[in-house]
Amino acid sequence: MIWDTHAHLDDPVYKEDFEEVATRIQSSGISRVTNVGYDLPSSERSVELAQAHDFIYAAIGVHPHNAEGVTDEIWKKLLLLAKQPKVLAWGEIGLDYYRDLSPRPIQREIFIQQIKLANEVGLPIIIHNRDAHQDVLEIVKAHPPKHGGVFHCYSGSWEMAKLLLSLGFYLSFAGPVTYKNARHTVEVATHAPMDRILVETDSPYLTPEPRRGKRNEPTYVIEVVKKIAEIKNLTFEDVAFQTMRNAETIFLPSCPART
Ligand SMILES: [Zn+2]
């Protein structure tokens, strides 16, 4: 039983064969998938998917790419969505200084605002951080999430990971941990304690080896589990079990539908 804690199954690339993707997920021992929003429409779609499929849960929020132009109306609607059953996190939120699709001061403001909203509604946060390590760190120190947080597809150094772990964060690993050039990520996975690790796919992106370059889907989270088992010298079952428990620990207390 594995929990893919970060996917975007509402992406149009699944339009043609969504049912087949869903069947593969369920027949491969993937018992839960969190569908993560990045703006209001994708957050709404995440909640709809969670309502339609037992194995799907939802996260809602505004990605740093979409930080510019957020209105009070959008906050109101997100707050309503946050209270829907099977919504178990606020995300993905954070900073992206690699693509810089929204001005950095606005990214920071919207990130902080969403940590406050998550605290208000009692949800943990899912953090996206790309090339913004220092600012993300300063913000989460100054505005700590009250209900926990996950660094999704963690890409920072072990030095930063140590700090984040000491602040109570979880680190989530995706396809890149299987890549040949993933020295830093492997180093983090080697040292991170087993009870603070999550697994994800970020489907349809970041497809793990051996399918790198093709469309990703939650079933391939198996490759991430395999790699972590290899790195930590544990069995596949141990990693699946422990990462599932970790995900339950952070996500299920906040979720009204605790099944
Ligand atoms: Zn994502």
Side-chain angles (χ1 to χ4, degrees):
M1 295 303 201
I2 306 173
W3 190 336
D4 177 359
T5 60
H6 195 118
H8 303 282
L9 289 173
D10 59 300
D11 193 284
V13 296
Y14 301 111
K15 216 177 162 189
E16 296 293 309
D17 63 344
F18 182 87
E19 289 309 323
E20 287 156 49
V21 171
T23 306
R24 275 197 290 277
I25 292 169
Q26 290 169 292
S27 59
S28 317
I30 318 302
S31 48
R32 293 182 177 126
V33 176
T34 307
N35 205 80
V36 180
Y38 47 85
D39 60 4
L40 178 62
S42 61
S43 297
E44 287 170 342
R45 291 195 300 270
S46 294
V47 173
E48 282 163 22
L49 279 172
Q51 281 166 353
H53 301 273
D54 278 353
F55 68 95
I56 300 181
Y57 290 75
I60 56 113
V62 177
H63 191 285
H65 289 344
N66 307 306
E68 197 172 17
V70 178
T71 60
D72 284 346
E73 196 55 33
I74 291 177
W75 292 139
K76 266 189 220 151
K77 288 183 174 165
L78 284 172
L79 278 167
L80 285 175
L81 284 180
K83 294 180 181 130
Q84 294 295 310
K86 295 181 81 184
V87 172
L88 40 66
W90 198 294
E92 54 189 300
I93 62 176
L95 303 177
D96 193 312
Y97 290 176
Y98 178 73
R99 293 186 66 194
D100 275 324
L101 295 186
S102 283
R104 292 181 181 186
I106 296 177
Q107 290 190 38
R108 289 191 286 268
E109 186 193 314
I110 296 297
F111 181 28
I112 293 167
Q113 200 158 351
Q114 292 186 95
I115 297 174
K116 290 180 180 166
L117 291 173
N119 288 346
E120 204 180 297
V121 296
L123 292 176
I125 58 173
I126 297 174
I127 299 170
H128 170 102
N129 163 31
R130 195 150 181 213
D131 292 358
H133 305 312
Q134 210 45 50
D135 283 5
V136 165
L137 202 51
E138 272 171 34
I139 287 175
V140 297
K141 274 185 180 164
H143 307 275
K146 279 192 201 152
H147 304 277
V150 178
F151 275 76
H152 117 79
C153 190
Y154 183 74
S155 61
S157 64
W158 169 237
E159 287 306 306
M160 179 168 167
K162 274 192 282 192
L163 266 169
L164 296 175
L165 290 165
S166 74
L167 294 169
F169 286 98
Y170 286 76
L171 307 176
S172 181
F173 292 94
V177 74
T178 69
Y179 299 168
K180 275 204 186 69
N181 58 358
R183 243 182 341 113
H184 287 295
T185 314
V186 169
E187 189 192 358
V188 175
T190 305
H191 298 299
M194 208 41 227
D195 62 354
R196 301 290 281 284
I197 288 178
L198 302 178
V199 290
E200 62 166 286
T201 56
D202 204 15
S203 297
Y205 314 108
L206 303 176
T207 312
E209 293 291 2
R211 295 182 184 83
R212 188 175 183 181
K214 303 207 176 87
R215 183 187 75 173
N216 202 0
E217 58 183 70
T219 302
Y220 306 155
V221 73
I222 286 171
E223 303 300 334
V224 178
V225 173
K226 267 191 207 161
K227 186 68 189 186
I228 299 215
E230 181 195 312
I231 291 168
K232 295 189 105 48
N233 204 13
L234 294 168
T235 66
F236 180 89
E237 288 73 22
D238 283 342
V239 174
F241 178 78
Q242 183 67 50
T243 52
M244 170 63 81
R245 264 189 38 176
N246 299 342
E248 288 173 347
T249 304
I250 178 164
F251 293 126
L252 289 192
S254 57
C255 182
R258 289 185 186 213
T259 48

